[in-house]
Amino acid sequence: MKIIMLGAPGAGKGTQAKKIAAKYQIPHISTGDIFRANIKNGTELGMKAKSYMDAGGLVPDEITIGMLLDRIHEADCQNGYVLDGFPRTIPQAESLTKALKEMGESIDYAVNVDVPDENIINRMSGRRACLGCGATYHIVYNAPAKEGVCDVCGQSLVLRDDDKPETVKKRLQVYHEQTQPLIDYYKKEGVLAEVDGTKDMEEVFQAIVDILGA
Ligand code: ADP
Ligand code: ADP
Ligand code: ZN
């Protein structure tokens, strides 16, 4: 099963993508996580991506598309995957559609996790991320057992620089301009599914399972 998660920054795409990956036994591919791992390891890709990410903008399509297409051609992607944070622009979506077509494949579901802007700033300022394993927490809605420490790997949790309110406002603006049009794109492709992302995490997941099938 090939699934795309759509939604504003902080809508809960990553939270739900991890649950989907575990239930349906497919890899969770987050372009944001791939960029952050590259930044942490000081790679050339990471250095190229960092300034765009810090400013709340998008990493250019020339960098992002090739990276994602390489990833979905890896062996673990044969039975599908859940894409989290890609595509984010119409050219990214078109490149993905074309690459899949060449393999005789297509996306099964594009799940839009709908959350209004008013809720986003609050979600992001409470988000804490583990740069060790990619786990995500929320200080109120999904707190770790021990404050500031990752339940999974024990590393310390951070507030991402780009989750500070000024940058979140910029990211929301970029979302509305460049990413929101993908909702219509996938509606036209006939694969759009919508869920109410303001519900609690388990309810949102149940709504997604109802769509994908048990
Ligand atoms: P969030 O989960 O909060 O939406 P991500 O971790 O997906 O954030 O992305 C963090 C940043 O990485 C984005 O703001 C952007 O700069 C960059 N990024 C991630 N995915 C893409 C993409 N598909 N195209 C361009 N930039 C991306
Ligand atoms: P995205 O990947 O779309 O940027 P995340 O999955 O990282 O979003 O979620 C953003 C923040 O909101 C995290 O701190 C997460 O724990 C929290 N969160 C996710 N889903 C919900 C929900 N349904 N209700 C409340 N908080 C949520
Ligand atoms: Zn961790």
Side-chain angles (χ1 to χ4, degrees):
M1 191 152 46
K2 296 185 199 65
I3 303 161
I4 288 171
M5 304 304 293
L6 296 175
K13 301 180 297 297
T15 300
Q16 299 300 329
K18 287 192 180 79
K19 288 171 168 291
I20 294 169
K23 180 172 170 68
Y24 298 93
Q25 303 266 298
I26 49 178
H28 165 214
I29 301 177
S30 156
T31 41
D33 285 351
I34 299 174
F35 286 133
R36 280 184 291 276
N38 275 277
I39 292 172
K40 199 179 159 205
N41 295 327
T43 69
E44 201 183 320
L45 177 75
M47 283 177 332
K48 279 187 194 154
K50 189 173 188 313
S51 56
Y52 300 101
M53 291 171 74
D54 286 348
L58 295 182
V59 180
D61 286 344
E62 303 82 78
I63 299 174
T64 310
I65 292 171
M67 177 184 91
L68 187 279
L69 294 184
D70 284 349
R71 179 67 188 87
I72 63 169
H73 282 90
E74 285 178 30
D76 65 332
C77 289
Q78 278 192 347
N79 294 324
Y81 38 76
V82 50
L83 299 184
D84 162 19
F86 186 99
R88 258 182 160 95
T89 64
I90 291 284
Q92 289 181 14
E94 287 172 341
S95 303
L96 177 64
T97 302
K98 182 164 166 280
L100 288 174
K101 210 169 177 183
E102 282 164 10
M103 300 191 272
E105 296 173 3
S106 61
I107 290 297
D108 297 297
Y109 296 98
V111 178
N112 182 40
V113 183
D114 188 32
V115 175
D117 288 9
E118 304 85 85
N119 304 29
I120 295 290
I121 305 267
N122 172 32
R123 285 234 185 139
M124 302 298 248
S125 57
R127 172 156 71 178
R128 295 293 179 273
C130 174
L131 298 181
C133 72
T136 305
Y137 301 87
H138 190 282
I139 52 174
V140 179
Y141 309 119
N142 182 23
K146 185 163 179 247
E147 197 186 317
V149 179
C150 179
D151 290 345
V152 182
C153 75
Q155 290 204 27
S156 0
L157 302 177
V158 298
L159 169 64
R160 278 166 43 183
D161 276 340
D162 62 342
D163 279 352
K164 295 184 175 143
E166 319 79 74
T167 317
V168 171
K169 282 186 194 131
K170 167 74 181 158
R171 289 166 66 198
L172 275 172
Q173 190 190 333
V174 169
Y175 167 76
H176 289 299
E177 283 166 14
Q178 303 208 52
T179 308
Q180 206 172 21
L182 296 179
I183 297 174
D184 259 347
Y185 178 93
Y186 285 106
K187 195 182 267 174
K188 287 193 187 113
E189 297 267 303
V191 295
L192 183 73
E194 303 216 55
V195 295
D196 179 356
T198 63
K199 299 270 170 38
D200 75 47
M201 290 171 203
E202 287 307 324
E203 273 181 83
V204 177
F205 185 56
Q206 193 50 55
I208 293 175
V209 171
D210 289 346
I211 293 160
L212 304 183

